[in-house]
Amino acid sequence: MTEYGRGPGSEPWHPEDPLYGDQGWGGRQAAHDGQGQGQYGDQQQSYPHDPYAQQHQNQQHAQQSYDQQYQQYGQQPPHHQQYGTPQHDPYAQQPAPPPQYNGGWDSGQQAAMPYGADPHDPYAQQAGGYDAPQDYYGTPEAYPPPQPPGRRETPAEQREPQSSTDWDPDEPQQETHPFFTGADEPAGREPRDEDDGPDDDGSRSSRRDRGGNERRGGKGKKKSRSGVACLVVSVVLVGGVGGIGYVGYTFWQKQFGAPADYAGPGTGQVEVEIPEGAFGYDIANILRKKGVIKSSDAFVAAQNDNPKGKSLQAGVYLLKKEMSAAGAIALMLDPKSQNAYVIPEGTRNVTVYAAIDKRLGLEKGTTAKIAKTKAESLGLPDWADDDPDVKDPLEGFLYPAAYPVAKGSKPEDALKRMVARANKEYGKLDLEGSAKKLGLESPWELITVASLVQVEGKYKHDFDKVARVVYNRLKPGNMETVGRLEFDSTVNYIKGQSTLDIGAVDELRKIDDPYNTYKIIGLPSGPISNPGADALHSAMNPAPGPWYYFVSINEDKTVFAETNEEHERNRREYEEGKSGQ
């Protein structure tokens, strides 16, 4: 019978052959050296009738010759087939093994030679003793046939215990990542046992009993690493859940929840300036920065809920800090909270200058001095007259409106706002075209006519007829006044007063001033007040009529006359009616 991977005359397989690992045939040869070295390190003589000794010597010589031939060509000899040895299947059907004879040298691990076997060819295919078929691998004592290196298996006694692939929920799981097992620990570093508490003595003893190859403290490191990993994972999970919850809550509050808002009427006092052209969120952002409201959304919502919320205008407001949005809206709509400086229609500049000084806590005359010395830098239009006879170049350009004049600001800042507002309103009108149509030389003269209408006309519904009186007296062929306006308002402007009893006409004509309309022919050198939109509209669109005179009897009646005789009669009637009251 031919052994798998061996031919006739080759060395028989030995129990101590290194079938496992990478020793190959060279390891087996070293184990059966021809010097008679025993397999257990003891010297042992070859028996003369022992076929294994002779077989071993023949095999050693044949194997060395065979290996030398492969080494000449730089190749490794095959492990399991000798030169010229035919392949044979060791697992083929074999007859039942005969009774074995335990004769000769016995190591306690090797089967004995059977009767009837040829000592020179123990592997020959012949019947054993007592005509029984021979099968050297079919007995319980026989070793399995040799396997190629790729198919070899580790003996059971050398195998390491393998854990079951089935997962047991009651059994603690072993970490395999280098971070947890400590494989990435620098060499020479001492292990740490800080995680081993006083109750871990039993577990350490059991770990020492499992073998000395396990580094002391290794399990402690695994436990420490596992604890840190669990802590990190927990922190990440908690942080992630918290972050997602916060984002979700913020989104819900923004989309569906009520905006943040203060409760109550607020405390303290704060001055807030709302600029021109600010609406909705613009106003809300200003109030939020000043600490009046808590959120812009709450203010806009309250403004939409209030029917008058959209009527908020530019100006300065006295509000409180930390007010509810609805309370802030209500207070801003109350005129008492509006701290802006309002210029009424027809107000003279001297009055405006004094009010600015008072608001800013400045010395009297400070703003008037700035207006006179810095007029050219305050934004006046190009058509503004720079005639030296003009008493105040800013007169007529401090447009009647509400302006923020907050403490800490400069007078020139307030004046610039007022002039800018006048330029804006005048720019909406065709002043130059209207002036030419009415026989005036420039928009400057048109503003002057409007200032006269604003002061002379006591009621707005009379402005159109008053404007017509102005234009009729300016006509060159005017035989009633001979081209003079003769308005009391111009004398009051010169004297800085406001009264109806200005004196006799003869005395008034003696006043030498370019603004004295009782003496000069035509318009005064400049405006005498700051006209509003109504007066300006009437100056541009006077009512048609032959009137040269007028007298206001009461709010509902102003009497206009064509001649002086008629006018004087109307005046007497007015005086008599006034004295009879």
Side-chain angles (χ1 to χ4, degrees), residues 105-146:
W105 174 70
D106 186 8
S107 62
Q109 296 179 354
Q110 181 176 348
M113 287 289 295
Y115 278 102
D118 187 357
H120 299 286
D121 189 7
Y123 299 99
Q125 296 182 358
Q126 56 184 353
Y130 306 103
D131 296 330
Q134 300 182 7
D135 184 2
Y136 299 98
Y137 302 100
T139 62
E141 296 83 1
Y143 282 91

Side-chain angles (χ1 to χ4, degrees), residues 17-72:
D17 278 354
L19 297 179
Y20 318 106
D22 295 332
Q23 295 180 2
W25 294 105
R28 185 183 68 250
Q29 292 169 2
H32 294 278
D33 196 317
Q35 300 298 327
Q37 180 71 23
Q39 57 184 352
Y40 297 102
D42 299 332
Q43 294 293 335
Q44 184 174 354
Q45 299 295 331
S46 300
Y47 290 88
H49 297 289
D50 186 1
Y52 292 99
Q54 183 178 2
Q55 187 77 13
H56 174 69
Q57 294 176 1
N58 296 338
Q59 175 61 25
Q60 180 179 9
H61 177 72
Q63 182 65 33
Q64 290 178 355
S65 300
Y66 177 66
D67 292 345
Q68 291 176 359
Q69 293 178 6
Y70 268 83
Q71 292 174 0
Q72 290 178 358

Side-chain angles (χ1 to χ4, degrees), residues 93-271:
Q93 291 291 335
Q94 299 291 340
Q100 301 296 323
Y101 172 74
N102 189 14
W105 174 70
D106 186 8
S107 62
Q109 296 179 354
Q110 181 176 348
M113 287 289 295
Y115 278 102
D118 187 357
H120 299 286
D121 189 7
Y123 299 99
Q125 296 182 358
Q126 56 184 353
Y130 306 103
D131 296 330
Q134 300 182 7
D135 184 2
Y136 299 98
Y137 302 100
T139 62
E141 296 83 1
Y143 282 91
Q147 297 292 332
R151 298 177 59 184
R152 296 177 182 176
E153 298 181 355
T154 307
E157 61 273 11
Q158 298 183 11
R159 296 177 186 172
E160 295 182 358
Q162 297 183 357
S163 60
S164 175
T165 57
D166 295 336
W167 178 73
D168 187 359
D170 297 331
E171 181 179 355
Q173 303 300 311
Q174 297 293 332
E175 299 289 352
T176 59
H177 194 278
F179 176 81
F180 302 107
T181 59
D184 58 345
E185 190 73 20
R189 182 173 177 178
E190 291 296 329
R192 295 178 298 177
D193 288 338
E194 67 264 7
D195 291 336
D196 289 340
D199 297 335
D200 293 343
D201 294 341
S203 61
R204 286 201 298 268
S205 300
S206 62
R207 288 198 298 270
R208 285 195 296 267
D209 293 340
R210 284 198 290 267
N213 293 332
E214 182 174 332
R215 187 176 63 179
R216 184 176 181 270
K219 286 294 183 179
K221 179 173 288 297
K222 291 181 182 179
K223 184 176 181 181
S224 176
R225 292 288 182 86
S226 300
V228 172
C230 292
L231 178 61
V232 171
V233 172
S234 300
V235 171
V236 171
L237 290 177
V238 172
V241 172
I244 294 174
Y246 175 77
V247 172
Y249 175 77
T250 304
F251 176 79
W252 185 88
Q253 283 288 100
K254 185 175 181 181
Q255 296 296 326
F256 309 104
D261 194 5
Y262 290 122
T267 58
Q269 192 175 61
V270 58
E271 189 177 68

Side-chain angles (χ1 to χ4, degrees), residues 458 488 492 498-503 574 578:
K458 193 172 183 180
D488 296 350
N492 286 330
S498 178
T499 180
L500 295 176
D501 187 10
I502 61 175
Y574 170 69
K578 186 177 180 181

